[in-house]
């Protein structure tokens, strides 16, 4: 018998034609042993919040500030629309009523992001004080901090806190509140919104030899995928990841989608001060989130409060023990990473240390979860918190909005208007809700004048950040054939955030309207680049075709004019 690996006949002929010797097929295992596997490791095993993904996230926050909010990559309206600020202001007022400050007193918004929460808080608190005949707001100093210098610069450039001379903007790390809030003014309240999830944390479990924490090793995806994002080689990327240089890290941020990870658990060795407590508390869980940075921040902040003071937290995360394992890891929001708050562990940790921790009723109905922390019990403040942040109240508001949207979707504009009216009665100074009503009035009712006035009302509350609102205003003006004014509204939207597909599409309309066809096509090109989800692609391409047709017609008209002109000159 011949060798089983020897090819003959037609197969051998084909192999010869394609340049493969037919005499002896190679041994598969021997070939495999000699396969050269190129290393793709960018960073060796590190604790979760020292990994490259987390480092890039922190670098991006510092470098770009509010950009992620403007692009709608990171959720922010839930705590910046004005509604949460109004509730927080009511809580602060109740606290001042219960324990009136004797002289000047301070409050702080740590990790303030857009700064809108603080701005609306001050507006609402002043309104409450004036309505009730109190002067608390005249003695208030408000520290508004963020770790990003770009963010704080943007507040100043935009005039976000104009009219509030009692605001002190601060660039600082919230994990060092004593440095951020260096003042001899008694600190009455600290507001922490969507910040705790952005602070370093860990995932731990009970191991055979004691507490263990999760480590992560970072790999680069295959070369074909990486080539879609960068021309950098693996060695360059590895060197930049390890350099610690902020510029290098910022250049690597766009590569986050091509990073792959593997994880393992290693002995804690005293690195995590809360690990043993967490494992004892969550002994029935296979793994448990520990928000180390959040716990440190809250501990240090509570020490700075005066005796009547409080910390108000609003964040996302697990609110029952059963939810904890499913959220044991990082989540991505655009170019940033976050770790949801382990609320059961937070409540256990601080209650065990004598801190009063209050949870609202029907917390499961709330989009973000409030917690009130106090150094000592203040019954009226506690009662106010339970009433103000009751999940049922929030649900009632949501039901009005959902009813309005359902009626609008079914073409029942009159019913939708009634439901929106009820929602506005509950949230009269929520710019997002007013903007939604404006868009409904323009697009589904066709009352452009009323839509314009509603958009104006919404922008009076938030002229600083919402690209969407400026587009709604422009749409109302365009529908009213006030094209030049619509153009100005769209230009303002572009000034706030250039990479917005809807803005680019609208500018293409207005540039074409005023005859600037080349600029209109440039706006279309920018819109196609910005439209990462493809939501506006069809409309952009249709408008591009329309503008190209106009451009062709213009060229033909010019050629015809030139021909007629030449003919007239020749006939002279």
């Amino acid at each position: 018998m011949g060798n089983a690996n020897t090819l003959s006949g037609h197969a051998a002929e084909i192999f010869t034609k394609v340049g493969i010797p037919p005499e002896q097929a190679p041994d598969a295992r021997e070939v495999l042993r000699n396969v050269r596997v190129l290393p793709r490791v960018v960073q060796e095993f590190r604790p979760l919040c020292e990994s490259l993904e987390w480092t890039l996230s922190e670098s991006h926050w510092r470098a770009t500030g509010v950009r992620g909010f403007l692009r709608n990559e990171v959720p922010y309206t839930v705590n910046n629309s004005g509604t949460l600020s109004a509730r927080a202001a009511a809580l602060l007022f109740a606290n001042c009523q219960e324990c009136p400050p004797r002289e000047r007193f301070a409050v702080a918004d740590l990790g303030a992001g857009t700064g809108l929460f603080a701005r609306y808080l001050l507006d609402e608190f002043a309104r409450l004080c004036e309505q009730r005949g109190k002067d608390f707001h005249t003695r208030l100093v408000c520290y508004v901090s963020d770790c990003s210098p770009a963010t704080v610069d943007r507040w100043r450039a935009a005039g976000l806190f104009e009219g509030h001379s009692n605001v002190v903007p601060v660039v600082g790390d919230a994990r060092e509140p004593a440095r951020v809030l260096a003042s001899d003014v008694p600190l009455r309240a600290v507001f922490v919104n969507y910040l705790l999830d952005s602070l370093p944390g860990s995932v731990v479990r009970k191991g055979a030899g004691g507490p263990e924490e999760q480590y992560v090793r970072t790999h680069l995806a295959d070369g074909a995928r990486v080539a879609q994002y960068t021309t950098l080689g693996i060695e360059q990327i590895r060197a930049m990841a390890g350099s610690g240089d902020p510029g290098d890290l910022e250049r690597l941020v766009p590569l986050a989608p091509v990073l792959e990870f593997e994880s393992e658990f290693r002995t804690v060795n005293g690195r995590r001060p809360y690990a043993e407590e967490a494992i004892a508390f969550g002994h029935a869980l296979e793994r448990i989130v520990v928000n180390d940075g959040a716990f440190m921040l809250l501990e240090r902040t509570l020490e700075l409060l005066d005796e009547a003071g409080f910390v108000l937290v609003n964040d996302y995360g697990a609110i029952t023990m059963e939810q904890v394992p499913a959220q044991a890891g990082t989540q991505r929001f655009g170019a940033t990473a976050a770790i949801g708050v382990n609320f059961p562990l937070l409540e256990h940790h601080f209650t065990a240390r004598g801190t009063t921790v209050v949870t609202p009723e029907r917390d499961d109905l709330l989009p973000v979860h409030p917690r009130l922390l106090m150094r000592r019990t203040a019954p009226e403040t506690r009662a106010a918190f339970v009433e103000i942040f009751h999940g049922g109240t929030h649900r009632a508001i949501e039901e009005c909005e959902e009813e309005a949207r359902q009626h609008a979707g079914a073409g029942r504009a009159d019913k939708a208007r009634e439901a929106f009216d009820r929602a506005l009665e509950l949230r009269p100074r929520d710019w997002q809700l007013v903007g939604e009503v404006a868009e409904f009035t323009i697009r589904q009712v066709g009352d452009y004048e009323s839509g314009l006035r509603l958009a104006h009302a919404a922008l009076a509350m938030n002229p600083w950040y919402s690209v969407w609102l400026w587009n709604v205003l422009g749409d109302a003006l365009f529908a009213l054939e006030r094209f030049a004014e619509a153009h100005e509204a769209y230009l303002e939207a572009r000034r706030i955030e250039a990479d917005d597909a809807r803005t680019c599409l609208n500018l293409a309309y207005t540039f074409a309207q005023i005859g600037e066809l080349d600029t209109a096509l440039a706006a279309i090109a920018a819109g196609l680049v910005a439209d990462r989800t493809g939501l506006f692609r069809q409309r952009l391409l249709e408008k591009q075709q329309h503008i190209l047709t106009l451009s062709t017609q213009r060229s033909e008209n010019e050629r015809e004019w030139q021909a007629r002109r030449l003919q007239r000159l020749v006939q002279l």
Side-chain angles (χ1 to χ4, degrees), residues 83 124 423-431 433-434 461:
T83 296
E124 290 291 337
L424 283 173
E425 183 180 10
L426 296 169
R427 290 165 53 193
R429 287 179 290 277
D430 187 313
W431 60 265
L433 176 59
V434 177
M461 302 176 210

Side-chain angles (χ1 to χ4, degrees), residues 53 65 74 87 92 94 114 138 243 323 334 363 401 446 515 527 540 566:
E53 180 180 47
V74 182
R87 292 172 179 167
L92 178 61
T114 65
T138 66
S243 73
Q323 294 173 346
D363 187 30
E401 295 175 26
L540 284 162
L566 180 60

Side-chain angles (χ1 to χ4, degrees), residues 115-129:
L116 290 175
F117 172 86
R119 167 68 197 230
Y120 300 143
L121 170 74
L122 294 170
D123 290 343
E124 290 291 337
F125 188 64
R127 188 178 291 110
L128 278 172
C129 291

Side-chain angles (χ1 to χ4, degrees), residues 48-49 51-58 197-200 337-339:
L48 190 64
C49 284
S51 68
L52 181 59
E53 180 180 47
W54 193 266
T55 304
L56 293 181
S57 174
E58 290 188 325
D197 62 90
S198 299
L199 298 177
I339 298 179

Side-chain angles (χ1 to χ4, degrees), residues 372-391:
L372 179 68
L373 287 77
M374 296 182 287
R375 293 182 61 178
R376 67 175 176 84
T377 301
E380 293 178 26
T381 303
R382 181 186 187 121
F385 171 80
V386 171
E387 179 184 356
I388 293 166
F389 288 93
H390 194 292

Side-chain angles (χ1 to χ4, degrees), residues 105 122 125-126 129-130 134-140 166:
F105 66 101
L122 294 170
F125 188 64
C129 291
E130 290 167 359
K134 300 295 182 179
D135 69 345
F136 302 138
H137 64 296
T138 66
R139 293 183 276 129
L140 175 67
N166 55 346

Side-chain angles (χ1 to χ4, degrees), residues 36-84:
R36 183 167 175 254
V37 179
L38 296 175
R40 308 296 294 176
V41 174
V42 176
Q43 185 187 68
E44 281 296 344
F45 281 105
R46 299 280 182 90
L48 190 64
C49 284
E50 296 174 25
S51 68
L52 181 59
E53 180 180 47
W54 193 266
T55 304
L56 293 181
S57 174
E58 290 188 325
S59 174
H60 186 68
W61 275 125
R62 286 182 168 83
T64 63
V66 300
R67 189 82 187 275
F69 303 129
L70 298 178
R71 288 184 165 189
N72 291 314
E73 295 171 348
V74 182
Y76 82 102
T77 54
V78 69
N79 59 303
N80 286 283
S81 68
T83 296
L84 183 60

Side-chain angles (χ1 to χ4, degrees), residues 9-267:
H10 180 69
E13 181 181 345
I14 298 301
F15 269 72
T16 300
K17 286 182 177 180
V18 299
I20 298 175
E23 292 80 11
Q24 180 71 40
D27 180 86
R29 293 185 66 196
E30 182 181 351
V31 173
L32 179 63
R33 293 189 195 103
N34 289 289
V35 170
R36 183 167 175 254
V37 179
L38 296 175
R40 308 296 294 176
V41 174
V42 176
Q43 185 187 68
E44 281 296 344
F45 281 105
R46 299 280 182 90
L48 190 64
C49 284
E50 296 174 25
S51 68
L52 181 59
E53 180 180 47
W54 193 266
T55 304
L56 293 181
S57 174
E58 290 188 325
S59 174
H60 186 68
W61 275 125
R62 286 182 168 83
T64 63
V66 300
R67 189 82 187 275
F69 303 129
L70 298 178
R71 288 184 165 189
N72 291 314
E73 295 171 348
V74 182
Y76 82 102
T77 54
V78 69
N79 59 303
N80 286 283
S81 68
T83 296
L84 183 60
S85 297
R87 292 172 179 167
L91 179 66
L92 178 61
F93 185 83
N95 178 261
C96 290
Q97 284 271 73
E98 183 176 15
C99 305
R102 295 179 182 178
E103 297 176 352
R104 296 177 73 208
F105 66 101
V107 301
D109 182 9
L110 299 180
T114 65
L116 290 175
F117 172 86
R119 167 68 197 230
Y120 300 143
L121 170 74
L122 294 170
D123 290 343
E124 290 291 337
F125 188 64
R127 188 178 291 110
L128 278 172
C129 291
E130 290 167 359
Q131 287 174 351
R132 309 287 181 85
K134 300 295 182 179
D135 69 345
F136 302 138
H137 64 296
T138 66
R139 293 183 276 129
L140 175 67
V141 178
C142 182
Y143 292 88
V144 188
S145 78
D146 199 272
C147 68
S148 168
T151 293
V152 178
D153 288 343
R154 185 157 191 146
W155 299 340
R156 295 192 177 104
L160 182 64
F161 297 109
E162 284 181 2
H164 291 284
S165 59
N166 55 346
V167 171
V168 181
V170 182
V171 177
D173 190 333
R175 288 171 287 185
E176 298 292 341
R179 295 184 180 181
V180 174
L181 309 174
S183 171
D184 56 357
V185 180
L187 182 62
R188 176 55 65 94
V190 175
F191 303 98
V192 185
N193 302 311
Y194 262 140
L195 171 65
L196 301 186
D197 62 90
S198 299
L199 298 177
S202 57
V203 176
V204 300
R205 72 178 186 186
K206 182 179 180 180
E212 296 178 343
E213 68 171 308
Q214 188 178 34
Y215 275 60
V216 173
R217 178 154 61 184
T218 307
H219 299 257
L220 203 60
D222 64 82
R225 283 178 57 197
V226 174
Q228 297 175 13
Y229 291 83
T230 183
T231 57
L232 293 171
I234 180 70
E235 294 297 336
Q236 292 173 288
I237 293 171
R238 190 179 294 125
M240 292 167 69
S243 73
D245 179 80
D248 283 347
L249 293 175
E250 190 58 25
R251 285 184 65 195
L252 293 181
V253 167
L255 302 188
V258 291
L259 298 180
E260 305 287 354
F261 310 96
E262 62 175 307
S263 69
E264 66 181 30
F265 280 85
R266 296 185 177 183
T267 303

